[in-house]
Amino acid sequence: MTPRLGSDDIRRQLAQVPDLPGVYLWKDAGGRVLYVGKAKALRRRMMQYVGGHDERAMVPEMMSRVASFDYVVVT
């Protein structure tokens, strides 16, 4: 699944992501992958990025460039 993001609908899009284990890819407007991460609970982890709960210095800069994301549920 590849939702297209905008500042108004990112939380709505992420609300559709399951809280299951998986991997996620943040992408820029050109479809280039900016970051690949893994999580035990995809929705919770991805919401940390948009909610400002991830304190790594790279996160605000990266999220300013994010235009879409993909995710894959895994076992």
Side-chain angles (χ1 to χ4, degrees), residues 10-73:
I10 188 169
R11 283 185 172 81
R12 181 178 48 78
Q13 294 283 339
L14 287 175
Q16 303 304 311
V17 174
D19 238 356
L20 296 171
V23 295
Y24 55 93
L25 298 85
W26 294 115
K27 297 180 174 185
D28 68 11
R32 290 177 295 261
V33 175
L34 300 172
Y35 185 78
V36 176
K38 62 182 179 176
K40 292 181 182 178
L42 283 167
R43 182 182 334 118
R44 273 186 276 162
R45 180 65 185 119
M46 293 174 77
M47 287 297 286
Q48 288 178 329
Y49 285 88
V50 299
H53 303 293
D54 188 314
E55 298 181 13
R56 293 177 289 172
M58 65 148 203
V59 173
E61 170 62 26
M62 179 183 70
M63 292 310 292
S64 73
R65 296 175 51 203
V66 167
S68 65
F69 64 83
D70 284 332
Y71 65 88
V72 179
V73 174

